Amino acid sequence: MKPRSQLAVLIAALLPASVLASTIEGVVLNNQGKIVTNATIEVEGSDLKVTTDENGKFVIAELNNGLKELHVVAPGYAHLHRDITITNDENQSVTFNLKRSPIEVIDIEATPIHMSAMESASPVSVLSGEQLRRQQAATLGDSLEKLPGVNTNFHGKVASTPIIRGLSGPRVLITQNGLDVSDVSRVGPDHSVASEASTAQQIEVLRGPATLFYGSGAIGGVVNVVDSRVPTDSTTRGEWNVEHNSVDNQKVASFNATTGTDSVAFYADAFWREADDYEVPVAADIDSDGEEHRGDYTVENSNEESDGFTVGASYLMDNGFIGLAVEQFNRQYGIPGHTHGEEEEEEHSDEEESVFADLKQTKVQLLGEYNLDNKWLNKVNLRVGHTDYEHAEIEGAAVGTTFKNETNELRIDLLHNQFSEWNGGISFHYKQSDVEAQGEEAFTPPSETESFAVALMEERHFGDFLVQVGGRIERVTIEAGDVLLPNIDAHAHDETEEADEHNHEESAEITRVFDVEHEFTPISLSAGVVWDFTPNYNLGLSVSRSERAPSASELLSFGPHIGTGTYEVGALFDLDEDGHLGLSDQAIDLETANNIDLTLRKTQGDVGFILNAFYNQVDNYYYQIDTGLFAESGHDHGDEEGADEHDHSSELPVYLFKTDDVILHGFEAQIAWQLTDEFKVDLFSDYVRARLKNGGDLPRTPPLRFGSELSYQTDKLSAHIHVTRYQKQDRTAPQETATDGYTLVDASISYDLSVLNQDMSVYLRGSNLTDTEARVHSSFVKDIAPRPGRSFALGIRGYF
């Protein structure tokens, strides 16, 4: 039982009713009449929250007169809402009956209004508990890719970011406890996300525009990694884990723990991971005798070493908490495909040619919550963050390029008391980021982005209808004082040798340098309704209009980006009639998404489902086009005698950021059937069609996929078989190749035991059991870095 619940029961037991404020006491049962322990009962619009004891009982004390909306939550059950009116300081006794839900319903942590997979107008997903531990990987995108509507841009197992409904990069915001993770993963697919899943409590995904809560950088969705680094209670608990994986000889160890006294709470976590290059299967070859032969090869430069730790402490008050946490995150990883000099003389060693990233991040977070005894305001939530990020790309012993990001962020949510049955509040959000890249592959100039926003979010129940509305206005400024416009030798490969030679002489190191300052005012509006039109079913509708300011890299890029194998040129520039790159005369405008979501859910019973369809029209969409030109990568290995002066091996295709109107539409489906108390079947499918409004396809769009999972669960044993089919993707952009379909089979089994009064779980997990050659269509390195082959992970996890 939580301390607050114990206190409420103690007060109720020791004091006579005449001196008590109004109380609600009761019991929580399931639909078979059995008690439900550890169910949480909270009063909406307040911080009052209690937990049922071993007898399923609870007491909520110190309630004022008026309408109280109670929200009852328990693992494995559908959420329950109940309105209770208190008059004349009376005490009430209630019984809540929960119905089973085969789809786990978990609340989103970092939003000021109530959101969960089964109840909010906007579609959300939460990965937590055993499911999170089963699916966690070294990178964030790979950890989340089994969620409906979420894919990975898999970059050789060393880096990945989530793709939500076909959108990624600067359109999908990644946060830690509601604050920007503040790395440079949104700039390039070879840049790792500086966040760790093995120490997380849960990972939340908001599909579709989430600009109301997080700003214009969340026009495609949000991934929020939640942990307890700033603890909200002092209950002693924790977990630890060690694991070994066969496909890359990966070794992982992690732990997290919380403890404290009545008024002070402490938290600590740490992790360590080490892995070699991973093995992948190759397709069968047929020899001269007609026999098939399969084999494995290793994806070079896909090794990594990671470690990190977090320490935090909180001061616990009767009316809230305030706490501070510091994290140090370190990662060294190879970058597949990011090598130079493949055609150089043999005296250059592989070690010198391989490039790896050395990532370091220090993050400080100050989190607080205070409940007010005020006529208007009910609660204040405070989030403050400072992040100092740096990663160097190292070739041999030399640092080629260094990326830095220093971010300061402040977010204050003021939640009001229930007003005419409306719950919600106003949010103030400030963020300032200094991003800098230095070196021969620094394709973006140093820039500062600053934003300030005010948002209003409200919700109210009208009988069987839940209405959620909100709006947000921002001011975003982008400043760069050293923007370069080099006179590069951009040319087509079919030009004559004379033209190549003339252009090379003409370019003669002429570079223009100028200052850039842009100011934008994105405005976002959203409205949604959830209708409980019949028992156990609801229908959700969400419409939004969201605006996004372009990122600095989309505007200002001008240089080689080896991670994507392109020479990137930002939207601030354009090609003239003669094919030369110069300043663009097109207006730099906001990107605007008009999105509609329709969701049908079955919330209770042995069968549950979530069926969602979406349509998203994005005007002024920033994306890259292939200009048909090529430019030198700028990476100089020294002149070599006998080299072909017209060799194109060191050249990169020039890609230019431009804008166009695009349409993305598709669906996500999730069905769960609890066959018996032990067996459950889950089915899912998702699809996104991403196209230009006037014809043509957007690149690297994930294909249609569908899959199933059969689960067996008892008190001690848990077993799962997961099969996913990825269809062929042949809707491709110019210069993009189709990707064959494939089927992945994964399985896991775990057994719980107790050793020396320590709860432990031993598990074995198998991935890609059929050793299928699988290439991820959304990956920039799909041709050289397929998914890992068959692998087995053996581990042990402990809880206290």
Side-chain angles (χ1 to χ4, degrees):
M1 188 185 300
K2 292 186 177 180
R4 182 169 295 173
S5 179
Q6 294 173 331
L7 180 61
V9 172
L10 182 62
I11 293 173
L14 297 181
L15 295 180
S18 59
V19 300
L20 287 173
S22 296
T23 64
I24 298 175
E25 61 181 28
V27 62
V28 178
L29 308 174
N30 63 19
N31 52 356
Q32 281 83 40
K34 298 180 179 179
I35 62 173
V36 178
T37 60
N38 294 318
T40 299
I41 302 92
E42 58 182 352
V43 180
E44 293 279 10
S46 76
D47 193 50
L48 290 175
K49 181 186 299 184
V50 298
T51 303
T52 56
D53 60 17
E54 64 274 9
N55 299 313
K57 295 182 178 180
F58 69 92
V59 175
I60 304 176
E62 301 178 2
L63 292 170
N64 298 322
N65 291 340
L67 178 67
K68 306 299 176 185
E69 182 181 334
L70 302 187
H71 183 213
V72 187
V73 180
Y77 295 93
H79 291 192
L80 177 66
H81 291 270
R82 178 75 62 84
D83 288 344
I84 296 178
T85 302
I86 296 177
T87 58
N88 300 323
D89 297 325
E90 63 182 357
N91 300 327
Q92 296 198 26
S93 179
V94 295
T95 299
F96 295 133
N97 293 99
L98 300 182
K99 296 183 179 180
R100 181 160 62 179
S101 173
I103 297 179
E104 192 72 18
V105 184
I106 303 171
D107 283 339
I108 296 289
E109 293 279 347
T111 57
I113 63 175
H114 178 71
M115 298 186 73
S116 70
M118 284 297 193
E119 296 164 299
S120 59
S122 300
V124 301
S125 300
V126 178
L127 191 61
S128 68
E130 184 195 355
Q131 185 185 12
L132 171 59
R133 296 298 173 239
R134 279 201 319 270
Q135 297 182 17
Q136 71 187 34
T139 60
L140 186 61
D142 296 349
S143 298
L144 298 176
E145 67 165 330
K146 290 183 179 179
L147 293 177
V150 183
N151 286 266
T152 176
N153 70 348
F154 183 83
H155 199 87
K157 208 176 73 61
V158 296
S160 71
T161 54
I163 299 173
I164 300 179
R165 294 178 168 181
L167 299 177
S168 61
R171 296 176 182 88
V172 172
L173 183 64
I174 300 172
T175 62
Q176 185 93 34
N177 298 315
L179 295 171
D180 195 339
V181 73
S182 301
D183 51 27
V184 293
S185 60
R186 307 174 89 192
V187 175
D190 57 326
H191 299 161
S192 179
V193 177
S195 186
E196 177 61 27
S198 67
T199 56
Q201 170 187 327
Q202 65 185 47
I203 304 178
E204 307 164 347
V205 179
L206 281 68
R207 304 193 302 272
T211 53
L212 289 184
F213 309 108
Y214 296 97
S216 65
I219 199 170
V222 166
V223 174
N224 184 41
V225 182
V226 180
D227 59 26
S228 301
R229 64 181 57 195
V230 175
T232 59
D233 66 80
S234 58
T235 304
T236 299
R237 62 186 180 277
E239 64 175 308
W240 55 266
N241 180 67
V242 292
E243 178 183 303
H244 180 268
N245 196 308
S246 64
V247 76
D248 55 0
N249 194 31
Q250 178 180 259
K251 298 172 281 292
V252 182
S254 65
F255 88 93
N256 65 78
T258 303
T259 190
T261 65
D262 290 341
S263 59
V264 180
F266 301 98
Y267 173 86
D269 72 38
F271 78 95
W272 169 81
R273 180 185 297 105
E274 184 176 274
D276 300 331
D277 294 345
Y278 72 92
E279 295 180 348
V280 297
V282 295
D285 292 327
I286 301 177
D287 62 18
S288 58
D289 297 326
E291 296 182 357
E292 288 189 355
H293 298 275
R294 289 183 60 85
D296 294 312
Y297 72 90
T298 299
V299 176
E300 295 184 3
N301 212 27
S302 61
N303 55 305
E304 70 142 321
E305 293 182 15
S306 303
D307 62 79
F309 68 89
T310 306
V311 292
S314 299
Y315 177 66
L316 307 178
M317 301 169 283
D318 292 338
N319 294 327
F321 70 93
I322 185 75
L324 182 73
V326 180
E327 176 193 20
Q328 180 63 45
F329 184 95
N330 307 303
R331 194 158 192 248
Q332 291 186 344
Y333 62 97
I335 307 178
H338 198 329
T339 58
H340 302 294
E342 295 177 357
E343 300 182 12
E344 294 181 28
E345 295 181 0
E346 295 182 359
E347 67 226 19
H348 291 280
S349 68
D350 290 339
E351 182 180 356
E352 290 177 325
E353 294 171 359
S354 296
V355 176
F356 70 93
D358 186 2
L359 185 161
K360 294 180 173 62
Q361 184 184 71
T362 302
K363 183 187 296 291
V364 180
Q365 290 190 339
L366 173 68
L367 307 180
E369 177 182 298
Y370 192 77
N371 300 289
L372 301 170
D373 185 11
N374 184 281
K375 179 180 179 181
W376 302 105
L377 292 180
N378 171 54
K379 183 194 300 185
V380 177
N381 291 330
L382 172 68
R383 293 185 179 92
V384 183
H386 171 77
T387 304
D388 190 359
Y389 171 95
E390 176 179 327
H391 96 247
E393 294 186 354
I394 302 171
E395 180 180 4
V399 176
T401 308
T402 300
F403 295 87
K404 297 181 180 180
N405 184 358
E406 185 173 345
T407 299
N408 297 294
E409 187 171 6
L410 168 66
R411 180 172 169 179
I412 301 175
D413 299 328
L414 302 177
L415 306 183
H416 61 74
N417 286 315
Q418 196 173 73
F419 177 75
S420 297
E421 300 183 37
W422 285 94
N423 294 310
I426 189 169
S427 178
F428 300 92
H429 191 188
Y430 171 80
K431 183 164 61 175
Q432 179 263 335
S433 296
D434 284 318
V435 179
E436 178 182 341
Q438 295 181 342
E440 53 195 1
E441 292 169 14
F443 57 93
T444 58
S447 63
E448 178 182 348
T449 302
E450 187 175 45
S451 66
F452 178 77
V454 180
L456 178 68
M457 291 147 281
E458 297 288 337
E459 68 175 6
R460 180 185 169 180
H461 281 93
F462 294 88
D464 294 330
F465 293 88
L466 169 64
V467 175
Q468 296 178 326
V469 297
R472 181 184 180 103
I473 182 170
E474 291 184 73
R475 183 182 64 85
V476 180
T477 58
I478 299 176
E479 296 182 2
D482 195 20
V483 179
L484 305 181
L485 174 55
N487 188 5
I488 62 171
D489 175 20
H491 56 274
H493 278 173
D494 58 358
E495 292 179 0
T496 64
E497 293 181 4
E498 290 80 10
D500 284 340
E501 195 171 310
H502 173 72
N503 287 341
H504 180 72
E505 292 174 355
E506 190 181 64
S507 62
E509 302 299 328
I510 300 174
T511 300
R512 294 172 57 189
V513 182
F514 54 95
D515 296 339
V516 168
E517 181 176 350
H518 283 279
E519 183 172 315
F520 305 92
T521 308
I523 298 175
S524 299
L525 301 170
S526 178
V529 60
V530 181
W531 176 28
D532 296 318
F533 61 92
T534 192
N536 304 340
Y537 292 85
N538 68 45
L539 186 67
L541 175 66
S542 175
V543 293
S544 64
R545 177 179 174 84
S546 306
E547 294 181 328
R548 180 181 77 92
S551 67
S553 60
E554 289 172 315
L555 290 181
L556 309 177
S557 294
F558 206 118
H561 189 177
I562 307 301
T564 60
T566 61
Y567 195 102
E568 292 193 1
V569 179
L572 197 64
F573 312 98
D574 203 354
L575 286 168
D576 61 23
E577 295 179 356
D578 297 327
H580 296 115
L581 288 164
L583 289 175
S584 173
D585 57 4
Q586 299 294 319
I588 303 300
D589 207 349
L590 291 167
E591 185 175 280
T592 303
N594 298 282
N595 187 82
I596 183 169
D597 270 278
L598 183 64
T599 306
L600 175 64
R601 307 178 181 101
K602 185 176 186 296
T603 61
Q604 301 173 14
D606 292 334
V607 177
F609 59 74
I610 304 174
L611 307 177
N612 181 262
F614 66 91
Y615 182 91
N616 190 11
Q617 178 175 318
V618 187
D619 298 333
N620 209 47
Y621 181 90
Y622 286 81
Y623 72 109
Q624 292 176 302
I625 62 166
D626 187 350
T627 63
L629 302 178
F630 293 81
E632 289 290 334
S633 68
H635 193 93
D636 182 16
H637 289 279
D639 297 331
E640 299 178 23
E641 293 184 6
D644 182 359
E645 62 180 315
H646 299 294
D647 177 28
H648 301 300
S649 62
S650 63
E651 294 179 342
L652 297 173
V654 177
Y655 275 72
L656 175 68
F657 276 97
K658 65 164 293 185
T659 59
D660 213 330
D661 296 340
V662 305
I663 294 174
L664 303 100
H665 58 88
F667 68 84
E668 297 119 12
Q670 181 182 2
I671 304 173
W673 182 12
Q674 193 76 47
L675 298 169
T676 67
D677 287 341
E678 294 82 19
F679 284 98
K680 187 174 80 166
V681 173
D682 289 276
L683 305 173
F684 87 96
S685 181
D686 57 21
Y687 173 72
V688 60
R689 175 80 168 92
R691 58 187 174 88
L692 298 173
K693 189 175 182 180
N694 295 325
D697 298 295
L698 290 179
R700 289 174 294 279
T701 301
L704 167 69
R705 63 175 180 171
F706 47 87
S708 64
E709 182 177 73
L710 175 63
S711 303
Y712 177 78
Q713 183 83 47
T714 66
D715 291 340
K716 297 288 186 182
L717 183 66
S718 175
H720 307 266
I721 299 177
H722 195 286
V723 181
T724 306
R725 172 64 186 176
Y726 292 78
Q727 293 294 85
K728 178 180 181 180
Q729 179 58 286
D730 54 8
R731 295 184 182 273
T732 57
Q735 313 302 321
E736 185 185 18
T737 59
T739 305
D740 292 336
Y742 53 89
T743 301
L744 295 179
V745 180
D746 303 330
S748 66
I749 185 170
S750 66
Y751 185 78
D752 296 340
L753 64 159
S754 180
V755 178
L756 301 176
N757 294 322
Q758 169 77 60
D759 292 330
M760 301 172 66
S761 177
V762 179
Y763 62 89
L764 175 66
R765 184 172 65 248
S767 302
N768 194 5
L769 294 178
T770 57
D771 206 28
T772 296
E773 180 182 2
R775 301 184 185 272
V776 180
H777 182 76
S778 51
S779 171
F780 279 89
V781 292
K782 68 172 185 177
D783 294 329
I784 64 171
R787 292 180 184 271
R790 182 187 297 114
S791 66
F792 294 95
L794 178 64
I796 184 169
R797 183 174 296 114
Y799 304 89
F800 57 89

